Amino acid sequence: MKNDPIRIGINPISWSNDDLPSLGGETPLSTALSEGKAIGYEGFELGNKFPKDPAALRELMAGYGLDVVSGWYSGRVAGRSAKEEIVAVETHLRLLAENGCKVMVYGEVADAIQGEPHPLYKRPRFRSADAWKRYGENLTEFAKFTLSRGVRLAYHHHMGAYVESPDDVDQLMANTGDEVGLLFDSGHTYFGGGDPLTVLNKHIDRICHVHCKDVRPGVVRMARNRHWTFLESVLNGAFTVPGDGCIDFAGIIDRLKTHGYKGWLVVEAEQDPSVAPSYEFAEKGYNTLRSLLDGVPVREVA
């Protein structure tokens, strides 16, 4: 599988949630790594429990026969200059580059409310064409720097942030250079009001990383109608793993394959492990993606 153009990884959030430590916070990293390896995953994205020293991280992952896929970076390009961001990212970028990562998950957290007690409709927005243009220029300058280190910026459109809806993604892509890659997240696309396959098709040339997250549409509707916060939406089960919701992953995988996508599919589904047992759901997500990649019918796990 290391020779396959598309590889399957996972985020440790299935076992332990960094934003909500009450969700699996007591689960040791070793459990996530050993179970992920046993299921068949080839790599992990990083979380707060991973070593921050490049050599220590490399040694840890080698012990499990796993690769480092990437790692979330909380960026603030919307609130400071590209030069300031370049200084801020140095340690994290080195950690990724020295562990063979080709992309860095960039999440814009300036003014974001994803971890705040505010309903999602109160998220920040760029209110003018000039604001989008300034943001795009700043972000492109920053992305040129990360690319010079061999790591492409993979922009994560995210609930509660400046770039949430399909229109936001359109503006982002129109106002940035090709150095800025797009992280396509199926779950956030749906929750943000878009059809995942439509958004995928529109921006497929810029997609450099993929988060595979399914949704429970009834919960998403309640989240919007009841003005839930992002974390309330997570706690109530808005997200789940591929094969457990309504998203057309067969269509998504087929489109990525025909386009010649080369990179990772990362199962990343924020859930409460006490409600959605980590191993069971991580296995379901893996089996769904593996079957679709291999072109065989998805087999339900008893």
Side-chain angles (χ1 to χ4, degrees):
M1 308 216 189
K2 280 201 174 187
N3 294 323
D4 289 351
I6 301 179
R7 304 172 67 193
I8 306 176
I10 192 166
N11 188 289
I13 207 165
S14 292
W15 286 267
S16 181
N17 192 310
D18 288 344
D19 296 322
L20 281 169
S22 60
L23 304 186
E26 74 286 354
T27 304
L29 178 59
S30 58
T31 298
L33 296 177
S34 59
E35 291 187 354
K37 177 66 174 179
I39 289 167
Y41 288 101
E42 294 184 63
F44 269 73
E45 285 191 339
L46 300 179
N48 286 342
K49 294 180 179 179
F50 286 79
K52 302 298 190 292
D53 174 74
L57 177 60
R58 191 160 52 248
E59 182 179 358
L60 171 71
M61 299 300 276
Y64 288 90
L66 291 163
D67 287 344
V68 179
V69 176
S70 184
W72 171 281
Y73 173 69
S74 294
R76 296 181 178 274
V77 168
R80 59 189 177 192
S81 70
K83 289 182 173 59
E84 290 173 309
E85 202 66 60
I86 286 168
V87 173
V89 79
E90 184 63 42
T91 300
H92 184 66
L93 186 60
R94 178 170 166 259
L95 181 68
L96 298 182
E98 292 189 16
N99 277 276
C101 299
K102 301 302 181 187
V103 296
M104 179 183 77
V105 177
Y106 180 92
E108 183 60 66
V109 300
D111 305 316
I113 61 166
Q114 61 200 57
E116 302 297 324
H118 305 306
L120 283 166
Y121 74 86
K122 291 190 175 182
R123 72 180 179 92
R125 288 173 169 83
F126 295 119
R127 301 290 183 178
S128 68
D130 281 347
W132 274 110
K133 183 173 183 292
R134 288 193 301 271
Y135 182 65
E137 290 172 348
N138 210 20
L139 190 66
T140 301
E141 184 180 346
F142 177 64
K144 287 178 180 178
F145 171 76
T146 69
L147 198 57
S148 75
R149 299 293 182 87
V151 181
R152 192 177 185 195
L153 186 151
Y155 194 102
H156 193 335
H157 54 100
H158 200 287
M159 301 304 297
Y162 276 109
V163 181
E164 176 185 284
S165 70
D167 286 345
D168 296 332
V169 175
D170 290 347
Q171 287 287 350
L172 179 76
M173 294 292 92
N175 283 280
T176 54
D178 286 343
E179 295 88 353
V180 176
L182 179 65
L183 185 160
F184 171 76
D185 186 299
S186 54
H188 281 276
T189 298
Y190 184 100
F191 202 160
D195 171 67
L197 197 53
T198 299
V199 174
L200 178 76
N201 277 317
K202 189 168 190 178
H203 298 295
I204 196 162
D205 288 335
R206 298 280 292 275
I207 291 169
C208 63
H209 200 46
V210 176
H211 276 180
C212 296
K213 187 190 279 94
D214 218 331
V215 298
R216 297 183 176 98
V219 180
V220 170
R221 283 195 297 272
M222 282 194 291
R224 287 301 198 186
N225 291 338
R226 298 181 182 181
H227 295 168
W228 287 348
T229 68
F230 177 68
L231 296 183
E232 284 175 328
S233 305
V234 169
L235 285 168
N236 281 284
F239 296 133
T240 185
V241 298
D244 191 49
C246 70
I247 290 179
D248 176 19
F249 279 97
I252 289 171
I253 299 304
D254 181 67
R255 185 68 183 95
L256 289 168
K257 288 173 68 175
T258 57
H259 185 73
Y261 173 75
K262 296 178 181 178
W264 290 91
L265 303 177
V266 178
V267 173
E268 192 231 26
E270 300 99 316
Q271 296 191 89
D272 184 347
S274 68
V275 177
S278 301
Y279 190 99
E280 176 187 337
F281 277 75
E283 185 177 41
K284 184 179 185 67
Y286 177 83
N287 287 342
T288 298
L289 297 181
R290 184 78 267 160
S291 296
L292 291 171
L293 283 173
D294 293 344
V296 299
V298 177
R299 179 178 61 84
E300 289 292 332
V301 177

